[in-house]
Amino acid sequence: MAATTKDIARICNVSRTTVTRALYNQGRISEKTRQEVLRVARELGYQPDLLARSLVKGKSMTVGIALCDLKNMFFSNVIDAMEPVARERGYVLNITLHDNDKELEREIIKHLLGYKIDGMVIHPSVCSEEEYEFLKNLDFPVLVVGGAPLGDLPFVGNDEYEAAKRATEQMIRREYDILYFVFPDFDDPKKEFAGHQERYRGFAEVAKASGKRYEVLGNGNYIEKALGVIREAEQDGKRVAFLCSGDFYAARIMMAAYQEHLTAGIDYGLMGFDNDELMKILPVRLWTVENHKEEIGKRAISELIDLIERKKDRGEKVNIPFELVRGNSL
Amino acid sequence: MAATTKDIARICNVSRTTVTRALYNQGRISEKTRQEVLRVARELGYQPDLLARSLVKGKSMTVGIALCDLKNMFFSNVIDAMEPVARERGYVLNITLHDNDKELEREIIKHLLGYKIDGMVIHPSVCSEEEYEFLKNLDFPVLVVGGAPLGDLPFVGNDEYEAAKRATEQMIRREYDILYFVFPDFDDPKKEFAGHQERYRGFAEVAKASGKRYEVLGNGNYIEKALGVIREAEQDGKRVAFLCSGDFYAARIMMAAYQEHLTAGIDYGLMGFDNDELMKILPVRLWTVENHKEEIGKRAISELIDLIERKKDRGEKVNIPFELVRGNSL
DNA sequence: GTGAAAGCGCTAACAA
DNA sequence: TTGTTAGCGCTTTCAC
């Protein structure tokens, strides 16, 4: 059984108040009793009951996290970065996954509410007015992470729209004739989406303005299709480039093409997103976009805690700067 | 402000006890008052304060998770699988990371203790008698996940030793002359280790018994070294194979060799571990070991909750079956 | 069927 | 410098 202040008080022959005072060295207390209390506390391995404290303080030192899933490296990296910062500031992370299911998300948040979380980091399942209203009306700070901002809720992530624009401009600079945007799950509502949509917007805008032909490779069979596109372009004497909304897709295209002796950066252009470490294995260095996931995680959690602790009274939208990473694939 | 049973009681003109009875439909209560209470509760959007409940019940419906980090796909996949099961059973996950730092791990666990977690899933930073004693003496169930079992603590993971043996046997069946075990972080104490060590044990045992030459590629520069080894073996008319403690290492070797026109499965043998989905991009299908991370996650959390709820009174060691995945790289 | 009272472990206001 | 009291929101026991 864990020791309580009551136990310490009894042993030291003082009141529980005195114990508290000794433990947190506040108020007037004689050095002697303080030392004694501290000694006994240590001896019993006293650990304050944070739940009891939360109850009386009305603050749980807990942050809820609600994301779609952790299969995605992006979010696991973000959480990995958030945890040390949260701990440093005395908070613990309650992690829940909604799998992009709107109903489930509501349920989860209700559950977190029960735990009296002080704030929440969320990657919303949907981007709707209704969702915004719902989150807005929760009675603690809510911060949106990754994907796209939602209304005027505080946000930390990349400006995916801008990133895609820059990426597309880069492709155009290399004078490709046809531009493709690759996102195989374009039609899958279960997939994390907001960010990809933003990317598509940026891509489409720049591509359109350039007057070049541009299209989407948006369903499952993108690899075969990409190969077909490359060959066709070759026959027509055109140059084609792919902007993939995720390095993995780019990698698959690169490798499939490679085996047909079509080399990225020579026979076609290729660019990814996310700067996945695993892409080190590729035969041609991939042009990609570094999003600084660790920065996003750290910043997101500290912004949220600032809001919780009212070091800031209004949340803002923070775009963590992205970077185009040079490769040889364009 | 969140509504409490007190509020509901006042509005309904009943006692708080009656409110509880209505909400959880227990004890004798008239249908009429029950409906009325339920109605008001719904109206106020009543959510029970789980912290208060925990305090009185002595049970927080919270499970602590203590892992090294989430950069590793293994653990993020494990957590991803744990979360839905935990939620289903009414538990929430408090996630903390110890970065394989023993001191930090202690600190973190103390912190979790304060939150009165009902149990803990841990991947210990070290495998020592001392660590075992420490975990054993915590006054709630502790389950070890992944890596290697620790003493008689309940465990869910793979039998990495056995897996490595099977993998090595497979290599031997293909009649390689020299066997390498590749784990670049062999000497880095900061790296997750227990599992890799088990793998090495299994590898060494089988390799030794075979009478073949076997070695470790254990520091940073493994790619260059591997290439050297392949070329050298070629000159000596020997066949060499690598068992990599992680698909990523295997992938890097495969790709580096590929560019020198050395093909896995032809010029040398290669086998990985973990069946990383990303390895789909490789030009030669990698022989690897599927560890069923989702199974591990699901099983780990439900074992732990069983222990918490005393559906089982003694934890056991559960080895989730692994599987050799055929490829063309041997 | 319903309610009163006690108590989980802690903190905070007020006394002494 | 120390102690008493009340109360956070909930559940539980016992009495009516």
Side-chain angles (χ1 to χ4, degrees), chain A residues 9-51:
Chain A
R10 191 167 24 76
I11 295 176
C12 295
N13 264 317
V14 293
S15 73
R16 308 174 68 198
T17 320
T18 306
V19 174
T20 308
R21 276 197 274 257
L23 289 173
Y24 306 108
N25 201 13
Q26 63 193 190
R28 269 175 278 281
I29 186 168
S30 79
E31 191 53 23
K32 190 161 146 278
T33 39
R34 203 176 81 88
Q35 290 304 337
E36 172 67 0
V37 168
L38 255 30
R39 196 183 58 73
V40 174
R42 212 172 309 116
E43 217 158 70
L44 298 183
Y46 171 76
Q47 279 299 125
D49 184 327
L50 268 19
L51 298 184

Side-chain angles (χ1 to χ4, degrees), chain A residues 66-325:
Chain A
L67 308 171
C68 39
D69 63 76
L70 290 178
K71 291 178 199 91
N72 193 316
M73 282 269 265
F74 178 79
F75 288 116
S76 47
N77 280 314
V78 166
I79 292 186
D80 188 84
M82 289 199 303
E83 199 277 341
V85 178
R87 177 162 28 80
E88 191 80 15
R89 297 184 67 169
Y91 289 78
V92 77
L93 263 29
N94 272 21
I95 300 198
T96 57
L97 306 175
H98 56 61
D99 198 27
N100 274 340
D101 179 321
K102 209 175 117 188
E103 299 309 314
L104 187 52
E105 183 188 320
R106 293 287 157 101
E107 215 175 280
I108 275 174
I109 293 177
K110 274 198 177 176
H111 194 207
L112 287 175
L113 272 165
Y115 281 96
K116 301 288 148 177
I117 55 173
D118 297 326
M120 184 166 73
V121 173
I122 189 171
H123 183 80
S125 62
V126 287
C127 275
S128 64
E129 184 65 28
E130 188 200 351
E131 177 79 358
Y132 165 73
E133 286 298 333
F134 173 70
L135 294 174
K136 188 75 183 174
N137 290 325
L138 294 173
D139 65 345
F140 49 69
V142 173
L143 183 144
V144 174
V145 68
L150 184 56
D152 63 352
L153 290 173
F155 168 87
V156 176
N158 300 119
D159 187 337
E160 305 282 7
Y161 169 72
E162 205 49 44
K165 278 174 73 174
R166 289 273 311 284
T168 312
E169 280 160 13
Q170 179 62 38
M171 297 199 301
I172 285 171
R173 219 168 288 135
R174 299 293 168 107
E175 302 189 336
Y176 288 97
D177 305 303
I178 314 168
L179 306 174
Y180 274 88
F181 182 79
V182 180
F183 181 53
D185 299 308
F186 215 80
D187 308 313
D188 184 347
K190 269 287 184 191
K191 288 287 176 164
E192 191 269 317
F193 201 55
H196 299 288
Q197 203 154 32
E198 285 299 291
R199 290 173 184 174
Y200 177 67
R201 268 186 53 222
F203 165 81
E205 178 161 324
V206 171
K208 188 169 187 184
S210 74
K212 295 185 188 288
R213 201 177 121 205
Y214 68 97
E215 293 192 31
V216 175
L217 240 52
N219 72 19
N221 201 22
Y222 66 101
I223 302 177
E224 274 313 308
K225 281 198 188 156
L227 293 184
V229 163
I230 297 171
R231 285 195 210 94
E232 198 181 311
E234 210 168 34
Q235 285 171 1
D236 298 353
K238 303 271 189 189
R239 303 181 67 233
V240 61
F242 303 87
L243 176 59
C244 302
S245 197
D247 282 348
F248 181 59
Y249 310 127
R252 294 208 71 172
I253 291 176
M254 184 190 290
M255 292 309 303
Y258 197 65
Q259 296 193 62
E260 316 253 322
H261 307 289
L262 295 167
T263 305
I266 297 174
D267 303 301
Y268 65 101
L270 190 63
M271 187 154 187
F273 251 103
D274 297 343
N275 198 22
D276 190 323
E277 190 216 14
L278 298 189
M279 298 313 142
K280 282 182 187 159
I281 64 176
L282 296 178
V284 175
R285 195 131 60 85
L286 187 64
W287 269 90
T288 186
V289 179
E290 165 65 53
N291 45 17
H292 296 297
K293 315 167 200 34
E294 331 68 37
E295 266 313 304
I296 291 177
K298 285 195 237 171
R299 188 66 188 275
I301 193 71
S302 58
E303 282 288 319
L304 181 68
I305 296 179
D306 282 350
L307 287 169
I308 291 174
E309 299 181 346
R310 297 178 201 247
K311 305 221 159 132
K312 286 193 179 171
D313 33 300
R314 275 174 32 90
E316 40 177 339
K317 286 181 196 155
V318 180
N319 281 316
I320 301 295
F322 58 87
E323 263 166 62
L324 260 52
V325 178

